[in-house]
Amino acid sequence: MLKRILSISGKPGLFRLVSSGKNMLVVESLLNGKRTPAYARDKVVSLGDISIYTTDEDMPLGEVLEKVKEATGGQPVDVKAPGDDAAVRAYFKTILPEYDEDRVYTTDIRKLFSWYNQLIAAGVTEFKDEEIAEDEAAEAAEKADSEAKA
């Protein structure tokens, strides 16, 4: 699901990929549903390609959003409620204790919460990709077959 949700530099909000053409993408705003083109010169990033630095390995954004959803009970996050930067970091530490405090900036955390709120408002509540779940199921079936043969 997150592979089709895009962030476009210089444009507010998140966008859903509608179609692609030669040298451009047709995207639809999650805020108002308005369709606009995104050209090759625009910096377009899929949310499925973003990850958060942690002390172990980088964690995909979908997993982080799932943790935020669990912590908030599926409700939007009040970005301004924590207050100053230290409070925002402390709140995020309760959600993702293993995040790398040196490489993850407060602005990144605020943007993450903002994206989460936009996705919830647009009705997107499943953040893990179905493709990954299908791949894991296929790998499990393959492993079971190889164990049965052995």
Side-chain angles (χ1 to χ4, degrees):
M1 179 54 121
L2 289 183
K3 287 280 186 196
R4 300 187 59 78
I5 306 293
L6 310 172
S7 172
I8 302 174
S9 210
K11 293 185 179 185
L14 294 174
F15 299 87
R16 179 170 306 167
L17 178 63
V18 176
S19 70
S20 59
K22 186 176 180 182
N23 296 328
M24 72 172 220
L25 302 171
V26 177
V27 296
E28 180 179 79
S29 172
L30 291 182
L31 297 174
N32 58 17
K34 185 176 177 185
R35 291 185 178 190
T36 59
Y39 297 101
R41 69 177 179 270
D42 296 326
K43 184 177 178 186
V44 178
V45 179
S46 166
L47 295 191
D49 296 336
I50 297 174
S51 60
I52 300 291
Y53 294 117
T54 64
T55 53
D56 299 329
E57 295 179 1
D58 295 351
M59 183 177 285
L61 185 64
E63 290 181 29
V64 177
L65 290 171
E66 281 291 332
K67 288 183 178 274
V68 173
K69 181 174 128 180
E70 289 172 14
T72 62
Q75 298 301 312
V77 176
D78 188 1
V79 181
K80 296 179 183 178
D84 64 343
D85 291 354
V88 170
R89 287 180 164 277
Y91 178 64
F92 190 60
K93 190 110 177 127
T94 64
I95 296 171
L96 187 66
E98 65 270 16
Y99 88 94
D100 189 338
E101 296 182 43
D102 295 331
R103 298 193 295 175
V104 178
Y105 300 109
T106 307
T107 55
D108 299 332
I109 297 169
R110 289 184 190 275
K111 182 176 278 190
L112 170 89
F113 289 152
S114 172
W115 284 350
Y116 171 78
N117 289 343
Q118 290 176 44
L119 290 168
I120 292 295
V124 178
T125 57
E126 294 300 319
F127 303 114
K128 292 198 177 185
D129 286 337
E130 296 88 28
E131 298 159 4
I132 293 172
E134 290 172 8
D135 290 344
E136 290 172 353
E139 287 175 14
E142 207 172 282
K143 184 178 177 183
D145 286 344
S146 64
E147 288 175 357
K149 291 177 183 176

